[in-house]
Amino acid sequence: MPLSIQKLASRLTFRQLQVFKAVYDLKSYSRAGDLLGLTQPAVSSQMRHLEQALGTPMFEYVGRQLYCTAAGEEMALCVSAVFRELAEVQDRLAALEGRVAGDLKLVAVSTAQYVVPYLLGVFLQLNPQVNVSVAVVNRAAALQRLNDNSDDLAIMGMVPSERPLSSLPFLDNELVPVVPAGHPLLQAGTVTAQDFLDGRLLVREPGSGSRLALEMHCQQHRLKLSPSMELGSNDAVKHGVLAGLGVAVIPRLSVVSELKLGALQVLPIAGFPLRRSWCVVYPQARHPTPAMRAFIDYIQQNIAQFERLFRRLAS
């Protein structure tokens, strides 16, 4: 190790790096202190020692707003790499002892939020040392998070074939055309897809997988799609239908209770339900961590059980 690096290493501590990362992420000394259980003067002291060791400021105030300097941005890349390597070493050491441990960051598209809890129950019983976090976003955001390496795995449908992604299909996702109880289309006899789509259609925002699936279906069957309202979540779409604002094509799992109670009904329309697959997705270039591999293997080994479980829930 070069002498200059040895000298720098002797002046830096992991606590300083931890404090730096908290300040960088939160853009606040006080919030970083709250996160780490430190007073603001203690955070300032740690940052002062770090900046003295490196010979350059990491942050600066403009007015009352804290900004990261160019040197700080470079340091952030280095610190993130250090902590990532430490986490991977910890995971590998656990694997050598026959344990699966570490963090598992999942990102689920909005419609998958009804599925993920059932996937995690037994998995966490089998792997109690895995720490799982789940972010729920739309399809476009999930793909961006995978691209940015913000998460380990995505649970989504409509996996783009043009991207270098590995995917494991594990469950059918049915998108069904629903109307509220008492809707005139329920008394109309045979209802065509176009009749339904013209009935004040409520849709998700652009970037949603369920909206993309409907758009592709309409394009393939030369159906005219003229939404009357965009809503930002499946729950919002569901409640919009319940409130009489219109009709919608929505994942069956998101309306199971309403269908059982009769508050919503599925219309029998040719070409529906739309069927897509839920998939576990990750970049092909990503080397799976032990926690990732354990989760993928768990899903693959239990596909038949998941199918039976969700058929029972939906019936």
Side-chain angles (χ1 to χ4, degrees):
M1 180 185 296
L3 184 61
S4 60
I5 299 298
Q6 290 182 4
K7 183 177 179 181
L8 177 61
S10 70
R11 300 180 64 188
L12 293 177
T13 68
F14 279 109
R15 187 57 162 172
Q16 291 168 2
L17 300 185
Q18 184 185 35
V19 170
F20 168 84
K21 189 173 188 312
V23 174
Y24 179 83
D25 289 343
L26 298 173
K27 296 297 184 287
S28 167
Y29 280 47
S30 60
R31 289 199 295 271
D34 291 341
L35 176 67
L36 298 174
L38 299 174
T39 63
Q40 184 168 337
V43 172
S44 299
S45 175
Q46 293 284 355
M47 286 304 309
R48 185 167 58 253
H49 284 100
L50 175 68
E51 291 173 337
Q52 289 172 351
L54 295 172
T56 185
M58 299 289 101
F59 300 97
E60 60 186 3
Y61 278 100
V62 178
R64 301 182 65 180
Q65 181 66 44
L66 187 67
Y67 291 92
C68 189
T69 65
E73 294 290 350
E74 292 296 326
M75 189 63 181
L77 295 175
C78 175
V79 170
S80 294
V82 168
F83 282 105
R84 186 166 56 248
E85 288 292 333
L86 285 173
E88 291 179 0
V89 167
Q90 187 179 39
D91 294 347
R92 290 196 294 270
L93 291 176
L96 288 174
E97 297 176 1
R99 298 179 291 111
V100 177
D103 295 330
L104 178 62
K105 296 180 181 178
L106 302 180
V107 58
V109 299
S110 302
T111 49
Q113 64 185 300
Y114 308 102
V115 174
V116 171
Y118 295 97
L119 304 181
L120 292 177
V122 176
F123 173 77
L124 290 175
Q125 291 178 22
L126 295 172
N127 302 280
Q129 292 181 296
V130 174
N131 302 310
V132 178
S133 62
V134 183
V136 179
V137 298
N138 70 13
R139 176 179 179 272
L143 290 171
Q144 185 61 51
R145 289 174 69 104
L146 282 182
N147 187 61
D148 295 342
N149 208 31
S150 300
D151 299 282
D152 297 315
L153 299 168
I155 309 297
M156 63 186 300
M158 305 290 293
V159 181
S161 58
E162 70 276 8
R163 296 202 186 192
L165 297 171
S166 296
S167 62
L168 170 65
F170 66 90
L171 184 69
D172 280 345
N173 175 30
E174 285 191 355
L175 303 174
V176 294
V178 297
V179 297
H183 194 279
L185 287 177
L186 293 169
Q187 312 300 324
T190 301
V191 177
T192 68
Q194 194 62 64
D195 291 336
F196 174 80
L197 296 172
D198 291 340
R200 291 184 300 164
L201 183 69
L202 310 181
V203 296
R204 289 284 306 279
E205 77 286 356
S208 160
S210 55
R211 176 168 176 165
L212 179 59
L214 180 59
E215 289 173 343
M216 291 175 62
H217 176 78
C218 290
Q219 184 178 24
Q220 292 167 0
H221 293 83
R222 299 183 180 180
L223 296 168
K224 183 181 178 182
L225 188 62
S226 300
S228 67
M229 187 181 296
E230 291 182 1
L231 296 161
S233 70
N234 288 313
D235 276 344
V237 172
K238 175 177 68 177
H239 286 288
V241 178
L242 288 168
L245 297 179
V247 303
V249 177
I250 195 166
R252 184 185 291 274
L253 284 175
S254 68
V255 291
V256 168
S257 296
E258 290 77 12
L259 293 177
K260 289 181 178 179
L261 293 171
L264 295 178
Q265 294 191 39
V266 176
L267 281 176
I269 299 174
F272 289 86
L274 307 182
R275 297 183 185 277
R276 298 294 185 269
S277 292
W278 293 121
C279 300
V280 178
V281 183
Y282 63 96
Q284 291 177 359
R286 178 75 185 271
H287 180 70
T289 65
M292 288 173 63
R293 175 50 56 195
F295 186 78
I296 294 168
D297 290 345
Y298 166 74
I299 296 296
Q300 192 163 30
Q301 293 163 9
N302 290 279
I303 289 176
Q305 290 92 317
F306 293 139
E307 289 176 345
R308 288 194 295 269
L309 169 63
F310 286 102
R311 273 200 304 268
R312 188 166 67 249
L313 291 173
S315 62

